[in-house]
Amino acid sequence: MKLSRHVTPMLLFAVLLSLPAPAQNEIQQAQSSVFLHRTGKHSVKSVRSAMGSVFEITAVHEDEAVARAAMEQAYAEIERIEALISSWRPDSQTGAVNRAAGDHPVQVGPELFGLTHRALKISRLTNGAFDITIDAVIRIWDFSKGESPVPDPAILAEKRALVDYKSVQLSQTEQTIFLKKPGMRMGFGAIGKGFAANRAAAVMREAGVRGGVVNAGGDLFVFGLDGEGQPWRVSIAHPRDKSRRIADLELTDQAVVTSGDYERFFIHDGVRYSHIIDPRTGFPVRELTSVTIICPDAEAADALATSVFVLGISEGLSLINRLKGFSAILIDVDGKVHLSQDLAERVKEVH
Ligand code: AMP
Ligand code: MG
């Protein structure tokens, strides 16, 4: 927080528009529908694959060598986190916890313990709409191809019985995690990129970078000011029509994280099945197309974007309206935009 002494976290300005998206040369476009406008003087950018996504990091510093060194450290941090938390890597701490499910608790480092603890808090806050143990069900859906069969109901029911955040037992004194049921699995697909974005930004700040952006596959965290000494300008495009901007934001020390049904999905018999699953049914949720959360913490934004996607318009917005410092932009399957109360009060709609 060193850098933010003179700049408090803020959402300075938001306006809803039905205007064309900015020209390609004005923007940096990630995989998703979030656009980062000008980065200004003394800014350098680098793009790399990590955590199954494309990361794009921007750093502002008068000395380019300092900016580049800081970005290297940020990428090293992201890779370290991935190696630690990935449920796909057998040598990760998460892999060890999953292998011991139903058998014994596993001692883990403070970072995985903390992340799991915070994830379980979000589960309690959302009555289980967010659940890291959804991983057992995720493995039987295949969202990597355009077309795939819907899983067999008997297998789905069997895996669904393993989804239960209340059966994740943490021991603070022993620093252990125990998944009580054999076959249970935990995974951090809905929160890990936010965690990594927070850490990458912290590492860059420690390395002396005064302003920057970590774009973790469309999950953005902006800190400090851009190369012109101005707040970062970010636009959100309509997920089904990238030529239409739905919000322009001016931000500093804020995360803008989107969960969408367009990231990983397949179509079967004309029905879209996407990668965000309702733990109660084991099936993809279908009320929304995208949920964007804006708040000062990328990890919380990541977890809550997925949560609100599962909770739906009414419950999701009522949760965000109860939380201080969180804003939300929801787009339903008919393309209609729904805003959290704070945004609804401050935006102008232009049709
Ligand atoms: P995100 O893009 O952050 O919304 O995360 C989506 C990913 O989180 C999916 O690809 C799954 O790996 C995982 N996931 C799906 N549904 C849930 C859920 N209800 N709770 C927690 N994680 C989920
Ligand atoms: Mg998420």
Side-chain angles (χ1 to χ4, degrees):
M1 288 285 147
K2 263 181 286 172
L3 266 161
S4 57
R5 231 176 295 134
H6 61 292
V7 190
T8 45
M10 57 186 158
L11 169 60
L12 283 171
F13 166 72
V15 59
L16 264 205
L17 299 153
S18 282
L19 297 176
Q24 286 300 312
N25 58 5
E26 278 181 42
I27 56 170
Q28 296 178 26
Q29 184 167 10
Q31 290 163 311
S32 74
S33 30
V34 183
F35 304 98
L36 174 63
H37 294 251
R38 75 148 192 239
T39 53
K41 292 192 292 276
H42 307 303
S43 61
V44 284
K45 186 183 88 169
S46 109
V47 182
R48 265 182 226 175
S49 294
M51 303 181 101
S53 298
V54 178
F55 274 63
E56 189 177 280
I57 297 183
T58 306
V60 178
H61 201 281
E62 292 76 8
D63 184 345
E64 190 181 326
V66 173
R68 294 215 178 271
M71 287 195 296
E72 279 309 316
Q73 287 178 40
Y75 278 118
E77 178 69 356
I78 291 160
E79 277 167 28
R80 188 187 67 80
I81 290 169
E82 186 180 10
L84 185 75
I85 71 171
S86 171
S87 65
W88 297 96
R89 294 200 184 182
D91 55 345
S92 69
Q93 290 184 7
T94 303
V97 171
N98 287 344
R99 273 194 304 283
D103 197 51
H104 61 272
V106 173
Q107 195 169 47
V108 298
E111 287 172 299
L112 189 72
F113 191 88
L115 180 65
T116 309
H117 183 72
R118 295 190 296 279
L120 294 177
K121 264 198 195 160
I122 302 281
S123 293
R124 288 190 290 274
L125 183 70
T126 61
N127 273 323
F130 180 89
D131 194 329
I132 50 171
T133 69
I134 196 77
D135 216 60
V137 166
I138 292 291
R139 305 267 158 157
I140 58 168
W141 287 91
D142 186 356
F143 300 108
S144 61
K145 306 183 198 89
E147 171 83 29
S148 178
V150 172
D152 178 78
I155 297 174
L156 194 59
E158 184 194 308
K159 297 292 180 192
R160 203 156 52 80
L162 299 172
V163 179
D164 178 16
Y165 71 91
K166 291 180 182 151
S167 294
V168 182
Q169 202 170 56
L170 299 188
S171 161
Q172 193 87 47
T173 43
E174 310 285 326
Q175 287 282 298
T176 56
I177 305 178
F178 180 39
L179 305 180
K180 289 202 220 162
K181 302 179 188 178
M184 260 182 101
R185 303 183 51 92
M186 60 178 195
F188 298 95
I191 188 172
K193 279 194 287 174
F195 174 53
N198 277 349
R199 285 294 314 143
V203 160
M204 286 206 289
R205 279 175 150 151
E206 280 158 25
V209 167
R210 62 183 170 83
V213 181
V214 179
N215 184 346
D219 293 357
L220 229 71
F221 183 74
V222 305
F223 64 94
L225 300 171
D226 73 11
E228 305 301 324
Q230 299 297 319
W232 297 94
R233 292 180 54 214
V234 174
S235 288
I236 300 167
H238 198 289
R240 295 281 195 272
D241 177 7
K242 296 269 163 82
S243 67
R244 191 181 144 208
R245 248 149 79 209
I246 54 160
D248 283 353
L249 310 165
E250 290 192 15
L251 306 163
T252 182
D253 298 343
Q254 292 276 348
V256 181
V257 174
T258 302
S259 282
D261 71 351
Y262 48 86
E263 293 170 32
R264 287 195 193 96
F265 67 95
F266 66 82
I267 311 248
H268 183 78
D269 286 344
V271 177
R272 177 189 284 254
Y273 295 89
S274 88
H275 67 142
I276 300 174
I277 307 275
D278 186 337
R280 288 164 301 192
T281 62
F283 266 79
V285 241
R286 298 230 298 268
E287 190 184 6
L288 290 163
T289 289
S290 85
V291 172
T292 301
I293 302 289
I294 305 152
C295 74
D297 174 352
E299 178 188 303
D302 192 356
L304 283 169
T306 313
S307 302
V308 170
F309 201 98
V310 176
L311 289 170
I313 301 165
S314 162
E315 265 193 81
L317 280 180
S318 107
L319 170 67
I320 296 300
N321 289 337
R322 284 201 307 275
L323 300 174
K324 208 172 162 335
F326 288 78
S327 306
I329 303 171
L330 281 55
I331 302 168
D332 67 25
V333 284
D334 298 321
K336 189 163 183 285
V337 179
H338 306 259
L339 301 172
S340 56
Q341 214 155 11
D342 62 317
L343 285 183
E345 281 162 10
R346 80 167 81 192
V347 302
K348 266 190 291 181
E349 286 199 46
V350 186
H351 293 292

